[in-house]
Amino acid sequence: MHKYKHGLFSVTQLLILIVAMGNLPRAYAAPVDAFQVSQSGTMAAGTEGLNLTFTLPTGKQLVIEYVAGNCFVPAGQTCVLSILTQVGSATTGTQFNLQTDGIGAFGGGNVLWRAGQQVKLYAKSGTIVTLRADRNSPTGTATVTFMSLSGYLE
């Protein structure tokens, strides 16, 4: 192999140096203030919706990166999962529906609906974040409804 030499380094040495510099540990990256929450509840007979809420700490904005949830409803019903957040000067939450899929019947005849979705949502400091489940009929009880989210505070 022919090596071209120019100045103090050969081309081979320069390429090795570039690769090595690109693989340095990222010690200078700011640490992430990770945040996760999981909430659960039940939709009693006669109700079609459930709000699972928590309040953000003051002085920190939440960046939400992943939201997931499950909802077991009586056969023939459907469930939609969503999240509501507030940003800027908003005084009420903005709703974001999640892609919710019907999985099928499980023990006891209930049907599982679930969501798991990567997102990029924000919620301002000190506001209430709502994880919401809605079904299309108030008949029977929707059980083992849970939702969770993951992200970081900044």
Side-chain angles (χ1 to χ4, degrees), residues 67-150:
V67 183
N70 285 343
C71 182
F72 289 90
V73 295
Q77 293 183 16
T78 59
C79 184
V80 175
L81 302 172
S82 59
I83 183 170
L84 290 86
T85 65
Q86 295 175 354
V87 296
S89 61
T91 56
T92 60
T94 301
Q95 184 168 353
F96 298 93
N97 290 329
L98 303 173
Q99 177 65 46
T100 310
D101 299 312
I103 303 304
F106 277 75
N110 284 341
V111 176
L112 170 63
W113 289 78
R114 72 176 178 193
Q117 186 171 333
Q118 188 174 5
V119 297
K120 184 80 169 205
L121 301 173
Y122 300 89
K124 70 180 179 180
S125 167
T127 61
I128 294 173
V129 174
T130 302
L131 301 167
R132 179 150 178 91
D134 290 288
R135 60 184 176 151
N136 64 337
S137 171
T139 305
T141 301
T143 58
V144 196
T145 301
F146 90 89
M147 292 186 70
S148 57
L149 63 80
S150 179

Side-chain angles (χ1 to χ4, degrees), residues 35 54-64 85-86 122-129 149 153:
F35 184 90
F54 63 94
T55 302
L56 289 176
T58 56
K60 298 280 187 170
Q61 171 179 264
L62 174 62
V63 180
I64 303 166
T85 65
Q86 295 175 354
Y122 300 89
K124 70 180 179 180
S125 167
T127 61
I128 294 173
V129 174
L149 63 80
L153 297 169

Side-chain angles (χ1 to χ4, degrees), residues 8-91:
L8 298 173
F9 296 102
S10 70
V11 173
T12 304
Q13 289 170 323
L14 188 57
L15 288 174
I16 291 170
L17 180 61
I18 290 170
V19 170
M21 290 177 67
N23 292 318
L24 291 174
R26 295 191 51 154
Y28 58 86
V32 173
D33 190 0
F35 184 90
Q36 293 182 343
V37 66
S38 185
Q39 303 267 330
S40 64
T42 300
M43 281 185 260
T47 62
E48 293 182 16
L50 174 67
N51 289 327
L52 305 169
T53 64
F54 63 94
T55 302
L56 289 176
T58 56
K60 298 280 187 170
Q61 171 179 264
L62 174 62
V63 180
I64 303 166
E65 297 181 309
Y66 195 82
V67 183
N70 285 343
C71 182
F72 289 90
V73 295
Q77 293 183 16
T78 59
C79 184
V80 175
L81 302 172
S82 59
I83 183 170
L84 290 86
T85 65
Q86 295 175 354
V87 296
S89 61
T91 56

